[in-house]
Amino acid sequence: MKTLQERLAMLEKHVKDGNITVLIFGLGSVGTYLLDYLISRNDETIKVVVAGRSFEKMEKNVNIVRVASLIRGLNKTNVEIEPEVDLTDIDTIQDTIQKYSPDFIVNSSRAYSGLKYGSISWENVRAYGIWTPLAVRFTKNVMEACHKADTHAVVINTSYSDAVIPWLKSRGKAYPDFGSGNLNHLIPRIKFSAAKMLGVEDFWNVDVMFAAGHFHDVCISKEGQTEGIELPLKIYYNGQEKELDHREIFNNCKIAMPVDAQRNMMNASSNYRIIDAVISAIRNRENQKVFIPGAFGNLGGYPVQIGYKDGKLDAWIDESEFSFVEMDTANRASMALDGIEDIVDGTLIYTDTLIEKVKSAFDVELPKKVLFNDIDKTAEFIIDEIIIPQTAKRVN
């Protein structure tokens, strides 16, 4: 694949020419919410292509979004449907990419649809890393297709990018440029919390500098605490740094949320924010800050700037307040609590603690290491030995 800088340069040209194409793989709840948000931009320069297996299902989702948007007077976006795209078939994915030559590719597919994996893992093992082979399963296929197509698209991944992007990069494979979700779900909670503590109503003027891995997105959101890990956090209001008690901030982040597919409004919003940030950086020539899990192949989540360096559009980890070492240290501690000891040379290494918890909770022996070539086999093992038995218990 071309470098990110080369692909951003092509995207810059298309934004200026008013000809932007977004290709979404998978039109489940994340993809459908994202389609809704993109159409609601009312931006006639954007075309959206949705690709997946079932034309009938995608057509219904597309139609409801298009009609609902036009009722609000917010629909200038053309939408095309590409059916019969099997994400286990790299050639089919490649053909789709070459057919539409997209500027953005969003992978919102899931190896096991219709289930929030965390609904099984959090209450049983307090960790999400167990699902990494499932999260990377289709992503690696999409990225291989991107590589073979030599796409100029900027690629966004939606599933557990904290570990998925590093896994692909460590193997020397093409990897997504940006990850969505995860850390992004926590940032607004922190802003709401800080505004409450500051006694201000304009929470949109609260800014945050923060880095953390997926475990803390869940732990802070559900329990309002950090499990004893010191996380790099600074709060600003109208550009001025504010000294606020971090424990109180995190405690206030514990707010009620749906646990079903409705939660995917946040992940879709995270995808939308990345697309909007790139377009806004180009149109306004102003840096845009986003929060990216798995940023540039690093474990955990980081603040990232999208903007211009030396006159060229680029993206980089924001070290203006915290050094990479500080953020990396916190992220690795967070990911270890999520069950990921490390990812090295294309090999995922689970923590011993996670392996013990999985044995105790599900009577299943996880391997200590998952080689890149064993991803599909391990994903099937997890589905067969953990997901299917656990979902069957719920039905019964």
Side-chain angles (χ1 to χ4, degrees), residues 174-199:
Y175 55 91
D177 304 294
F178 299 104
S180 70
N182 300 6
L183 177 63
N184 293 275
H185 301 172
L186 187 54
I187 299 299
R189 295 170 184 258
I190 293 174
K191 291 185 177 183
F192 288 138
S193 174
K196 177 181 177 181
M197 293 171 66
L198 291 168

Side-chain angles (χ1 to χ4, degrees), residues 27-75:
L27 202 63
S29 56
V30 173
T32 302
Y33 282 128
L34 176 59
L35 176 64
D36 186 15
Y37 302 154
L38 289 169
I39 287 179
S40 294
R41 285 179 66 92
N42 215 26
D43 188 341
E44 58 190 324
T45 70
I46 294 179
K47 177 177 79 174
V48 181
V49 180
V50 297
R53 291 184 179 180
S54 170
F55 177 82
E56 182 179 2
K57 177 184 176 182
M58 289 189 293
E59 183 184 41
K60 289 178 180 178
N61 288 355
V62 167
N63 285 343
I64 189 65
V65 170
R66 292 180 72 232
V67 170
S69 298
L70 198 53
I71 290 171
R72 303 193 304 273
L74 298 173
N75 191 348

Side-chain angles (χ1 to χ4, degrees), residues 3-208:
T3 67
L4 174 59
Q5 291 72 21
E6 290 171 330
R7 287 178 284 118
L8 285 171
M10 180 65 75
L11 176 55
E12 180 181 29
K13 180 180 184 302
H14 288 179
V15 170
K16 291 179 177 178
D17 290 344
N19 182 25
I20 307 165
T21 300
V22 180
L23 170 59
I24 303 173
F25 283 113
L27 202 63
S29 56
V30 173
T32 302
Y33 282 128
L34 176 59
L35 176 64
D36 186 15
Y37 302 154
L38 289 169
I39 287 179
S40 294
R41 285 179 66 92
N42 215 26
D43 188 341
E44 58 190 324
T45 70
I46 294 179
K47 177 177 79 174
V48 181
V49 180
V50 297
R53 291 184 179 180
S54 170
F55 177 82
E56 182 179 2
K57 177 184 176 182
M58 289 189 293
E59 183 184 41
K60 289 178 180 178
N61 288 355
V62 167
N63 285 343
I64 189 65
V65 170
R66 292 180 72 232
V67 170
S69 298
L70 198 53
I71 290 171
R72 303 193 304 273
L74 298 173
N75 191 348
K76 295 181 180 178
T77 301
N78 290 319
V79 183
E80 295 188 35
I81 301 173
E82 184 68 17
E84 299 182 11
V85 177
D86 184 350
L87 292 182
T88 66
D89 184 347
I90 294 172
D91 290 339
T92 303
I93 304 169
Q94 179 185 349
D95 290 344
T96 303
I97 294 169
Q98 291 175 325
K99 177 178 179 179
Y100 293 100
S101 191
D103 299 291
F104 293 97
I105 294 174
V106 180
N107 172 35
S108 67
S109 61
R110 291 174 66 82
Y112 193 92
S113 60
L115 173 71
K116 297 296 291 182
Y117 302 148
S119 65
I120 294 176
S121 62
W122 186 255
E123 65 183 21
N124 287 293
V125 297
R126 281 180 63 80
Y128 195 92
I130 181 178
W131 312 117
T132 312
L134 275 72
V136 78
R137 188 180 191 184
F138 288 161
T139 307
K140 66 179 176 61
N141 293 347
V142 170
M143 294 313 305
E144 182 65 22
C146 285
H147 174 70
K148 293 175 68 175
D150 195 24
T151 181
H152 68 260
V154 170
V155 185
I156 304 170
N157 182 62
T158 65
S159 183
Y160 202 51
S161 294
D162 298 74
V164 165
I165 297 177
W167 201 351
L168 289 167
K169 184 178 182 181
S170 76
R171 176 66 173 182
K173 298 290 187 179
Y175 55 91
D177 304 294
F178 299 104
S180 70
N182 300 6
L183 177 63
N184 293 275
H185 301 172
L186 187 54
I187 299 299
R189 295 170 184 258
I190 293 174
K191 291 185 177 183
F192 288 138
S193 174
K196 177 181 177 181
M197 293 171 66
L198 291 168
V200 300
E201 296 183 356
D202 55 334
F203 48 81
W204 51 90
N205 286 322
V206 174
D207 194 17
V208 175

Side-chain angles (χ1 to χ4, degrees), residues 301-354:
Y302 293 82
V304 168
Q305 291 285 345
I306 301 171
Y308 286 85
K309 274 187 173 182
D310 301 322
K312 294 182 179 180
L313 187 63
D314 206 345
W316 62 94
I317 290 177
D318 188 341
E319 296 183 70
S320 60
E321 296 296 338
F322 301 108
S323 70
F324 175 80
V325 171
E326 289 177 284
M327 293 186 284
D328 178 63
T329 299
N331 270 304
R332 287 182 175 275
S334 182
M335 295 305 293
L337 289 172
D338 223 25
I340 305 296
E341 182 176 305
D342 206 351
I343 296 175
V344 182
D345 297 330
T347 300
L348 170 74
I349 306 172
Y350 286 126
T351 63
D352 292 337
T353 299
L354 177 63

